Amino acid sequence: MRYAETGFNLEIDLSRGNIERVATDPRLAELYLGGLGTNAKILWDRVPPDTDPFSPDNLLIFGTGLLCGTPAIGANRTIVSTFSPQTGLMAYSMMGGFWAPELKFAGYDKVIIRGKSPKLVYLWINNDKVEIRDASHLKGKGAQETADLIRHELKESKAQVASIGLAGENKVYFASIEQGRSSASRLGIGAVMGDKGLKAIVVRGTKEVNTARPVEFFEHCSEVLKYIKWRDDHPIKGVPPILSGLGSPQEMAIYDEEWHTTNFTWGNARHRRRDFWTKEVEEKWKKTQQNARVRLLSCYNCPMECGALISAPGVPKYMMKCYSKLTYTMAAMSDLDFGFKIVQRATEYGVDAFTTPQVMAFALELYEAGILTDKDLPGMPADNEGRFYWLLDRIVRREGIGDILANGVYHAARQIGKGAEEYDHNTIKKHEQLPLKLGMLNPIYFLMYSTGEKINITQIEGQFPQAPFATREEREEFVKDWFQVPDDRFKQYFLDWDPRGEHSIPYYPTIEATCEIVDWQEKMHYIDDALGLCAGLSSFPLKPPYHIHNLPGIISSATGIDFDEAKLSQAARRNRTLLRAINVRRGLDRKDDSPPKDHWRNRFPELETKLLDEYYKFKGWNNRGIPTKESLQELGLGYVKEDFLRRGILTENEAAPPGETPAETEKK
Amino acid sequence: MAGEKKKKIVKVIKIDTDKCNGCRACEVACAIFHSKPQYSGNNPAKSRIAVLRDPIKDIFVPVYAGEYTASECTGRNKYVIDGREFDECDWCKASCPSRSLFKEPDSGLPLKCDMCESDPPLEEPMCVQWCLSDALTYEEREVEVDEKEEEKKKPGEMELGLESLVDKYGMEKLLDAIARMSRGD
């Protein structure tokens, strides 16, 4: 009997209309856990590195985390993995909501999509009955609208729907997959779904998910719930209110937006407005939010209320997730009521709320600079907010200039030319980043921005405070109940971290400590992404209920496979290394591992080189960021080593020759 | 002549639909508490509480499984409350032929909330313990009841199941089947 997982994947070939239920190897859970880990294994095994993201040979995998469907609190994440049309690298956007547990109840761990359907279809999974159904009547429909229409047509109010809007159908490079109050938004996975002619995957399940040692597992769940309650009553002192609790940043509940609006940048990640947050703004925004918010919403089996049902004046009701509240508002240099309104349209279109506003602000900067002219933007309204709606409509239809902007800032800048490249200042690996521009280089964030394979800072940070606390007393207070640290020395790193002086950034934490701190933070994300745990209860906030000390027991009692901290850390490292290998094979190199040039005003090239050198070593990679033969062998990734040797990415004699990687040469 | 009066505890779960965030933790708690062996299997379809949700319409109603009934209602009424339209069924606790709710997904036998009665007793039903948003809260109320009335045996889970089988196949067929089974045919 299989515990926690169902032991079956669904293999769907859309070209041939073929559906298969395939038993999976039970040993994979011990090595890769599930979710992101086993998704990555499938992509490594089955998608050759020269596969175009829009090729029928590209796979689109909807994977549930190992713990999804068990009673584990907050284990509801769907990990969608494929290759990104924007970066060419592996994309693994994730979503909360209700979809992943429902798939487990239907009896499957993953849905693996290959091929392309000649006409628009949707997939209907109802326990053992799986059908590919015509979706031509859903063409052009909004993502939420599609979900409602399908539930109505199937007479299944309890079915969970993951769908794309117009942006996905038109292969916009930052199209999302929407699902109720959640979405998998980053890196254009909605475009891959659209390219495959798949409008939606609809799931209903009424089967059981079992755990191996039920009483023990239940006790862990009770402990987690108890700690969440305690943590709710004990917000963290010394950090902005938005970071003091659990969950995603509590954008829907909290009104105090001083931290985001005065620290993050507006427009095309340009303007810092330090004096923005006044009493008047606070009053006005509070009223806007109170009026718009109908109800706070949770994902499956999670007490955090990170989303909300929104009813903004003049637009239909919709569900919002945390930070989209501010991204459009700030990119358009506008007001919160504009933010609440435009997100309704953007959600129905199905676009990423990080990238989309920046692409539009970028276009308007080009217009101001005369690089784009009225000829490129015929009929664009004169007011800023009107322009945002106008651009959004054109991007998702790929109409006129929208067809270029739909490829994201990096590609659009190069297609437009005439110096537009200079305005692409906030991307890493061709992917738009949070709008944040700061003064002094922070070594921890330098490594996280540079090397994070998700290419998104929120998917690697957490656990360790973003900045030092002002006084020693405050730090001592903070570390008192900080039992989540893997080792007590992490407390010391934080205690000794000063805002100014010898023990301050960029030279403190030391390079060695920085490597450890980054590795710990990243490791917790990799564990979550394999288990399907929401980062909001685990790797993202400070002092979370899930941590390296209780997770081994939780996984062991759920699966019946015994894990201790070392074995779990090794599995996380294996997954992380495999992801690196997948991207290395597609041409990723050290030169790609850098933050946006202007992210910090004060840069330290020599220190940065050392940081990267030491971090690579710490990770078991050579100085070009390629996992070494020894580390691959040690992690049980001998098959990756063999492949690298065959391709000449690694050689028998030493780590790797300097210069370009063979994969890169191949690409040219 | 009136019978003897006796004190009885009435268990009350107060449902505040305004506080429900739709997370369905109550369904998880119920499903695992009643699974056999206890806590071993999670399947919300076997839960005796269901959150009837239509998020876009702001409808979130936790409903408990109540009586089994062999026949559907004759009509389907609607309630409009604060501009939200509710089907009568959204409030209904019955395990009835018109819907799959509150039936064992495999056997189709009816399910009913038992307030997590167990030995030793729980402080609060499991669904209430898992509801951190306080949409579900628990209280006990003391009432006086007729002793005679109280002695009437409450139908247990097996009786409920049998009743539904009688409705489905008729008493005769059912007795035949039991007789055959007891002979080991």
Side-chain angles (χ1 to χ4, degrees):
Chain A
M1 179 151 175
R2 296 284 275 273
Y3 296 105
E5 48 181 3
T6 67
F8 292 96
N9 290 340
L10 265 182
E11 294 271 358
I12 311 290
D13 184 339
L14 289 173
S15 298
R16 295 166 50 224
N18 195 50
I19 298 169
E20 269 177 278
R21 176 174 176 264
V22 180
T24 57
D25 183 347
R27 283 169 304 183
L28 290 176
E30 184 156 16
L31 290 170
Y32 306 93
L33 302 170
L36 176 62
T38 39
N39 280 9
K41 176 78 168 75
I42 292 167
L43 289 178
W44 171 272
D45 286 344
R46 291 171 48 183
V47 185
D50 53 356
T51 308
D52 187 278
F54 289 145
S55 151
D57 297 331
N58 187 16
L59 299 180
L60 176 67
I61 307 173
F62 286 71
T64 62
L66 182 61
L67 295 180
C68 292
T70 74
I73 318 299
N76 51 41
R77 307 285 286 175
T78 308
I79 299 91
V80 189
S81 306
T82 187
F83 288 98
S84 163
Q86 188 187 40
T87 65
L89 303 172
M90 179 172 159
Y92 62 103
S93 259
M94 300 172 287
M95 55 189 174
F98 295 79
W99 197 92
E102 198 72 29
L103 187 71
K104 282 274 187 82
F105 299 137
Y108 312 99
D109 296 321
K110 294 184 197 296
V111 182
I112 303 166
I113 312 279
R114 65 180 188 275
K116 277 189 201 193
S117 169
K119 54 174 193 170
L120 198 63
V121 292
Y122 73 87
L123 186 66
W124 169 217
I125 303 167
N126 185 8
N127 289 317
D128 295 337
K129 211 171 119 199
V130 182
E131 300 171 51
I132 297 169
R133 294 173 65 105
D134 177 53
S136 48
H137 58 301
L138 300 169
K139 197 167 163 44
K141 298 278 191 243
Q144 175 61 44
E145 195 185 359
T146 297
D148 287 342
L149 286 168
I150 292 177
R151 270 193 285 258
H152 189 74
E153 128 185 353
L154 297 173
K155 297 189 180 65
E156 280 283 354
S157 62
K158 292 189 162 205
Q160 301 299 338
V161 184
S163 55
I164 54 169
L166 196 54
E169 286 181 43
N170 289 333
K171 297 191 255 183
V172 172
Y173 282 12
F174 38 91
S176 60
I177 298 170
E178 300 283 328
Q179 180 236 144
R181 65 157 296 288
S182 310
S183 64
S185 297
R186 301 291 275 156
L187 292 156
I189 54 171
V192 176
M193 189 156 160
D195 179 62
K196 296 200 172 299
L198 185 61
K199 182 70 177 171
I201 306 184
V202 188
V203 190
R204 174 72 180 135
T206 57
K207 298 187 201 178
E208 203 131 293
V209 173
N210 295 292
T211 46
R213 300 199 291 271
V215 175
E216 189 187 326
F217 185 71
F218 175 75
E219 275 160 12
H220 280 298
C221 295
S222 304
E223 281 299 309
V224 165
L225 270 181
K226 212 167 91 189
Y227 183 76
I228 291 173
K229 262 192 258 185
W230 183 87
R231 193 61 178 68
D232 218 29
D233 298 333
H234 297 83
I236 297 199
K237 291 176 211 145
V239 298
I242 210 92
L243 297 176
S244 65
L246 296 174
S248 309
Q250 295 293 295
E251 295 292 334
M252 299 296 103
I254 287 175
Y255 306 112
D256 183 348
E257 284 294 358
E258 181 172 11
W259 186 67
H260 277 133
T261 57
T262 62
N263 280 294
F264 287 57
T265 48
W266 296 61
N268 180 26
R270 293 289 187 192
H271 319 289
R272 182 112 177 243
R273 297 166 85 178
R274 287 172 202 270
D275 305 323
F276 175 79
W277 194 252
T278 60
K279 263 269 157 292
E280 296 80 73
V281 173
E282 187 171 356
E283 288 295 308
K284 191 171 170 226
W285 281 32
K286 187 174 174 181
K287 232 167 115 186
T288 301
Q289 187 160 328
Q290 280 172 336
N291 288 338
R293 189 185 62 208
V294 182
R295 181 188 294 264
L296 292 173
L297 297 178
S298 295
C299 294
Y300 179 79
N301 194 21
C302 178
M304 306 315 300
E305 298 172 329
C306 310
L309 179 61
I310 300 293
S311 175
V315 300
K317 287 202 194 88
Y318 70 100
M319 289 174 268
M320 179 180 257
K321 42 254 160 187
C322 63
Y323 194 55
S324 53
K325 166 181 145 189
L326 292 185
T327 52
Y328 291 90
T329 298
M330 289 175 68
M333 307 285 286
S334 182
D335 223 343
L336 190 56
D337 52 359
F338 165 74
F340 277 127
K341 271 186 259 178
I342 195 169
V343 172
Q344 188 275 331
R345 195 181 294 189
T347 305
E348 284 291 14
Y349 282 151
V351 284
D352 176 17
F354 269 30
T355 290
T356 314
Q358 270 186 50
V359 172
M360 300 195 288
F362 156 80
L364 293 178
E365 263 194 359
L366 295 185
Y367 179 63
E368 271 163 40
I371 296 172
L372 289 178
T373 64
D374 289 325
K375 241 173 60 197
D376 302 305
L377 307 160
M380 184 171 76
D383 67 299
N384 215 30
E385 298 180 355
R387 286 173 170 179
F388 266 70
Y389 280 108
W390 188 89
L391 284 168
L392 179 60
D393 290 347
R394 262 132 209 95
I395 287 169
V396 300
R397 287 179 179 76
R398 281 192 173 273
E399 241 172 55
I401 190 70
D403 192 27
I404 292 170
L405 295 174
N407 297 337
V409 169
Y410 175 91
H411 295 287
R414 278 141 195 89
Q415 281 171 273
I416 293 165
K418 304 180 221 163
E421 295 91 335
E422 288 304 307
Y423 295 78
D424 163 25
H425 71 113
N426 201 40
T427 57
I428 303 176
K429 303 178 173 86
K430 307 174 187 165
H431 191 47
E432 294 77 4
Q433 300 301 305
L434 265 184
L436 197 56
K437 303 292 164 190
L438 301 166
M440 179 60 76
L441 179 103
N442 175 329
I444 302 171
Y445 273 78
F446 169 78
L447 282 183
M448 293 197 295
Y449 271 111
S450 300
T451 64
E453 217 86 6
K454 178 78 184 282
I455 329 178
N456 199 74
I457 194 67
T458 57
Q459 302 292 332
I460 182 169
E461 68 181 345
Q463 309 295 313
F464 202 83
Q466 298 187 4
F469 288 7
T471 66
R472 184 106 192 161
E473 289 70 46
E474 284 173 88
R475 290 172 228 160
E476 271 163 7
E477 184 64 29
F478 178 82
V479 302
K480 255 187 209 156
D481 56 6
W482 198 18
F483 58 83
Q484 289 86 349
V485 288
D487 187 285
D488 273 349
R489 65 177 181 277
F490 288 83
K491 293 185 184 173
Q492 204 56 49
Y493 299 153
F494 182 66
L495 284 171
D496 294 342
W497 194 18
D498 292 325
R500 268 166 296 278
E502 201 190 328
H503 274 176
S504 70
I505 56 171
Y507 292 107
Y508 193 90
T510 63
I511 292 177
E512 197 189 4
T514 297
C515 289
E516 287 182 17
I517 292 166
V518 171
D519 186 67
W520 169 37
Q521 300 192 74
E522 181 173 71
K523 175 168 83 180
M524 299 321 292
H525 279 278
Y526 272 80
I527 294 172
D528 286 347
D529 300 349
L531 300 180
L533 284 179
C534 179
L537 285 182
S538 191
S539 47
F540 185 73
L542 295 165
K543 300 184 182 174
Y546 290 110
H547 44 82
I548 192 64
H549 309 304
N550 66 0
L551 281 165
I554 290 171
I555 302 167
S556 305
S557 55
T559 59
I561 305 167
D562 283 322
F563 279 91
D564 56 18
E565 286 180 27
K567 187 170 161 184
L568 180 58
S569 298
Q570 183 81 338
R573 198 180 174 89
R574 182 177 299 118
N575 288 349
R576 202 274 166 265
T577 306
L578 182 57
L579 237 95
R580 185 76 188 183
I582 288 171
N583 283 336
V584 162
R585 204 166 69 159
R586 287 183 76 94
L588 180 78
D589 201 354
R590 178 173 180 137
K591 67 175 168 27
D592 301 306
D593 281 343
S594 63
K597 262 198 210 79
D598 60 350
H599 185 79
W600 289 284
R601 222 169 25 253
N602 304 313
R603 297 286 295 268
F604 299 81
E606 212 174 299
L607 171 67
E608 291 173 19
T609 303
K610 267 195 223 151
L611 276 165
L612 217 49
D613 283 345
E614 287 309 309
Y615 186 63
Y616 282 172
K617 253 187 248 166
F618 187 94
K619 289 291 215 190
W621 306 345
N622 68 21
N623 68 353
R624 294 171 51 231
I626 302 168
T628 63
K629 284 178 295 191
E630 294 73 25
S631 70
L632 290 169
Q633 198 63 47
E634 186 214 326
L635 288 164
L637 297 173
Y639 59 92
V640 173
K641 183 188 83 176
E642 295 307 320
D643 183 272
F644 276 5
L645 288 173
R646 217 167 26 246
R647 290 174 194 277
I649 293 171
L650 289 176
T651 56
E652 286 292 357
N653 299 324
E654 38 74 71
E660 282 181 331
T661 60
E664 215 175 354
T665 319
E666 244 172 61
K667 244 177 32 180
K668 287 174 187 163
Chain B
M1 213 179 80
E4 290 288 302
K5 293 284 181 197
K6 184 184 160 186
K7 291 216 186 302
K8 184 191 163 188
I9 301 289
V10 177
K11 297 177 172 181
V12 178
I13 293 173
K14 193 168 122 195
I15 303 159
D16 186 342
T17 60
D18 288 341
K19 286 186 180 159
C20 179
N21 58 34
C23 78
R24 298 170 59 197
C26 50
E27 297 179 12
V28 176
C30 178
I32 57 173
F33 186 76
H34 289 96
S35 82
K36 286 171 189 130
Q38 198 164 46
Y39 306 121
S40 65
N42 182 29
N43 182 1
K46 289 186 181 175
S47 167
R48 295 121 198 261
I49 178 171
V51 184
L52 302 182
R53 33 196 319 280
D54 191 344
I56 284 292
K57 291 188 186 145
D58 194 31
I59 290 177
F60 294 86
V61 188
V63 179
Y64 286 87
E67 295 308 314
Y68 156 75
T69 168
S71 55
E72 308 180 43
C73 296
T74 38
R76 297 274 198 283
N77 301 336
K78 287 189 172 185
Y79 288 87
V80 178
I81 302 169
D82 286 342
R84 287 174 292 168
E85 193 178 280
F86 294 87
D87 272 343
E88 196 177 22
C89 299
D90 288 350
W91 307 100
C92 182
K93 301 168 72 135
S95 172
C96 97
S98 74
R99 58 182 182 182
S100 61
L101 201 63
F102 303 141
K103 287 174 196 154
E104 276 268 353
D106 302 326
S107 63
L109 294 177
L111 296 165
K112 189 181 171 188
C113 168
D114 59 2
M115 288 277 177
C116 293
E117 274 185 20
S118 61
D119 191 21
L122 299 184
E123 234 167 78
E124 294 178 329
M126 200 52 86
C127 54
V128 176
Q129 292 188 30
W130 276 49
C131 181
L132 297 199
S133 68
D134 288 339
L136 307 176
T137 48
Y138 179 70
E139 46 195 67
E140 292 180 347
R141 207 168 53 210
E142 216 180 62
V143 290
E144 287 197 335
V145 290
D146 242 3
E147 201 162 16
K148 258 192 194 150
E149 278 297 305
E150 185 54 19
E151 273 165 12
K152 277 191 199 163
K153 203 170 170 293
K154 278 188 283 179
E157 199 159 291
M158 188 178 70
E159 283 85 348
L160 267 185
L162 281 173
E163 197 185 329
S164 75
L165 289 174
V166 171
D167 288 330
K168 198 168 172 186
Y169 300 105
M171 183 66 88
E172 207 172 322
K173 271 194 183 166
L174 191 66
L175 287 175
D176 277 355
I178 290 171
R180 267 202 315 278
M181 283 164 74
S182 62
R183 284 198 309 268
D185 290 4

